[in-house]
Amino acid sequence: MQLERMHLVLKRSASQDASLRQLIGDLHTAGTASYHKWLTPDQFGRQFGPSDEDIATIQAWLSGHGFNVAKVNPGGRPSSFQATWGSCARPFTPRFTSTR
């Protein structure tokens, strides 16, 4: 059975999270160098997302386990992938239940 899609969410490092919180404050504080200087999705991904090497590692791992990366967000961040039930069971050993 083909799964329609799964989403991959990656946690930022503590230093990236602290930098993001600082930027959000600065974006909304008049007089700061970053005031109202919004980032593009690509800039945001480069500054607060995983490195290009980490992205390549994630994509290789997904592909190696039978997953198909369906979407890569701006900034090169993979966000959704497709798989069969069987390919999910091998690396993740989940328990699937029906919600019907």
Side-chain angles (χ1 to χ4, degrees):
M1 172 184 227
Q2 180 72 24
L3 297 174
E4 201 168 301
R5 72 177 157 249
M6 297 176 72
H7 293 277
L8 178 65
V9 178
L10 303 173
K11 183 177 179 180
R12 283 186 269 289
S13 69
S15 63
Q16 286 175 318
D17 196 49
S19 295
L20 177 56
R21 290 178 187 278
Q22 180 67 47
L23 176 63
I24 290 169
D26 291 348
L27 287 168
H28 297 280
T29 304
T32 64
S34 299
Y35 181 63
H36 283 188
K37 291 185 179 173
W38 314 111
L39 300 178
T40 66
D42 188 57
Q43 291 169 320
F44 186 90
R46 299 275 171 227
Q47 192 167 346
F48 301 109
S51 68
D52 290 340
E53 294 80 20
D54 288 342
I55 296 299
T57 299
I58 292 164
Q59 288 181 308
W61 186 91
L62 289 168
S63 295
H65 285 84
F67 296 98
N68 175 35
V69 177
K71 182 178 180 186
V72 177
N73 284 328
R77 308 313 175 229
S79 66
S80 66
F81 52 96
Q82 298 171 327
T84 63
W85 287 103
S87 62
C88 288
R90 283 188 294 277
F92 298 122
T93 59
R95 279 190 269 149
F96 296 108
T97 58
S98 177
T99 57
R100 295 179 193 192

